[in-house]
Amino acid sequence: MSAGPNTSGALRHVLGHLLTPLLMCIGMGLAYLGAFHAPEPHDLRVDVVGSDPTTQVLAQTLQNKGAGALDVRTVTDRDTAVSALREQRSFGAYIPGEKPELLVASGSSDTSAMAVEKVFTKVAAAQDAPLEVTDIAPTASGDPTGQGVFFLLVALSIGAYASVAVIGGAGAVLPMRIRALLAAGMSLVVSLIGTLFAGPVFHLVDQGLGGVWAMSWLYAAGILAVGVGLHTFLRRWTTLGVMVLFVMLNFTSSGGIYRPELQPGFFGSLHAFWNGAGFVEGVRGHVYFDGHGVGGHVLVLALWLLAGAVLVVLAGLTEARRRKAGAVTTAPTGSDARAEAARTEAEAEEEMEEAVAV
């Protein structure tokens, strides 16, 4: 029995929409497995404290054995090593001697600190000496693994890009200025929820909650502005486009799980200017490192918001041109208006369903 025209049309409709989840599956697999499946250090900066010939030989030996995994340097004293760690120029400092000591800063990255500890535990064991590990920038009491900031990033991202689907889909008939105001309002709400989670609820940070809120708002506002602006051009593909930008490439390059020194070069290069990295490193610098380097990370977040604002303006101008070009001298009939409204509503529902599924 052959399928009827309605069945065939429905099947084509479903098959067409299945392309989106397939692309998401491929993209997520490539991004997450490519970024996280085999973390290995490369050019991971570590210091050896001391200026005598023995220290120089140890540093050179580690450099040679590392074969590109480590960037080993010598510093004259402990204070210099601590300064390098606090400025995130190094990720570990080994002080040789009868009672060797390793300095780390888990607030910068717990996984990087663990990688450094693994290297120097072997060095100390070769000298038959137990290694004492000192953490000069420990994470907050509510974030023992140091990855709570990353999961805060995830929550903010989901709240922001899901809002894009609603504002762009259900709100597509609204003027762009109204959609922009809705985006601004949602970014404020999302950032306040994230700050509540970071502080009173889960105690991911012990101090600087005001700065965490400011960076949360900048981050969420940037995603909403970019997404609302892109919706005019991508329509039902906006969900996929926003996922590529703010999930696939964003989470993997943020440094929340592994810093770029433990990842393939592609994700390390994105870390320098992607908004997720700006948020994660900005919060870390603000909370654990006395604000060192925060200005640059805030600038990254502000530039993403500026790019979103430009997209919103361009989208508004584009929609105005489309309305002008599509204007007709005679008013549409009632059936035409109802058909257009039905198409718009169907597109909005499809887009929101895709966002909820994600």
Side-chain angles (χ1 to χ4, degrees):
M1 186 175 180
S2 60
N6 290 340
T7 302
S8 299
L11 180 61
R12 286 194 299 270
H13 179 78
V14 170
L15 290 175
H17 282 76
L18 283 176
L19 178 61
T20 299
L22 286 176
L23 290 175
M24 288 179 178
C25 177
I26 293 170
M28 294 289 280
L30 289 173
Y32 274 75
L33 295 176
F36 298 146
H37 84 288
E40 293 183 354
H42 55 86
D43 295 321
L44 183 66
R45 165 76 184 274
V46 294
D47 294 333
V48 179
V49 180
S51 56
D52 57 275
T54 303
T55 302
Q56 298 288 341
V57 170
L58 175 60
Q60 189 60 52
T61 301
L62 288 171
Q63 181 72 40
N64 294 339
K65 287 185 176 180
L70 301 176
D71 177 13
V72 186
R73 308 187 188 188
T74 58
V75 296
T76 56
D77 52 47
R78 193 180 194 277
D79 289 342
T80 304
V82 169
S83 295
L85 284 166
R86 290 196 178 280
E87 294 174 3
Q88 301 186 75
R89 292 184 285 110
S90 75
F91 299 94
Y94 181 71
I95 305 174
E98 293 183 2
K99 296 181 178 180
E101 181 183 14
L102 176 65
L103 308 178
V104 296
S106 60
S108 176
S109 171
D110 185 65
T111 51
S112 295
M114 290 172 61
V116 171
E117 185 175 345
K118 183 178 179 180
V119 170
F120 286 103
T121 297
K122 294 179 180 178
V123 173
Q127 300 173 354
D128 295 323
L131 181 65
E132 178 184 355
V133 179
T134 301
D135 194 342
I136 61 100
T139 56
S141 58
D143 187 18
T145 66
Q147 295 177 4
V149 175
F150 171 74
F151 292 108
L152 174 61
L153 170 80
V154 173
L156 292 171
S157 303
I158 291 174
Y161 76 67
S163 299
V164 167
V166 176
I167 295 172
V173 296
L174 296 173
M176 179 55 74
R177 65 180 182 278
I178 301 298
R179 279 176 277 163
L181 288 173
L182 288 172
M186 281 305 300
S187 67
L188 176 61
V189 173
V190 167
S191 67
L192 289 173
I193 292 173
T195 305
L196 187 66
F197 287 157
V201 177
F202 295 111
H203 304 286
L204 301 178
V205 298
D206 293 332
Q207 59 184 349
L209 201 58
V212 173
W213 166 76
M215 283 182 272
S216 298
W217 176 79
L218 270 176
Y219 175 74
I223 292 178
L224 273 151
V226 170
V228 169
L230 284 178
H231 187 271
T232 298
F233 307 101
L234 300 182
R235 302 301 294 270
R236 65 174 295 264
W237 296 103
T238 303
T239 298
L240 179 60
V242 172
M243 277 214 48
V244 170
L245 288 175
F246 302 120
V247 176
M248 298 176 192
L249 298 180
N250 189 27
F251 293 174
T252 52
S253 65
S254 67
I257 303 297
Y258 298 112
R259 280 187 56 86
E261 293 82 8
L262 298 179
Q263 291 187 290
F266 171 73
F267 297 99
S269 63
L270 293 181
H271 184 83
F273 61 91
W274 220 256
N275 63 336
F279 175 77
V280 169
E281 299 298 352
V283 170
R284 284 173 173 168
H286 171 64
V287 174
Y288 298 124
F289 297 98
D290 301 321
H292 179 78
V294 169
H297 301 307
V298 170
L299 177 62
V300 168
L301 295 174
L303 289 175
W304 275 86
L305 177 56
L306 177 61
V310 171
L311 273 172
V312 167
V313 172
L314 291 176
L317 294 174
T318 300
E319 290 179 4
R321 287 197 299 268
R322 288 174 180 173
R323 286 193 298 270
K324 185 177 180 180
V328 292
T329 55
T330 57
T333 64
S335 59
D336 289 340
R338 286 192 295 270
E340 179 62 27
R343 282 194 298 270
T344 300
E345 184 176 353
E347 288 178 359
E349 289 179 356
E350 289 172 0
E351 186 174 347
M352 286 187 286
E353 285 170 2
E354 288 177 357
V356 170
V358 171

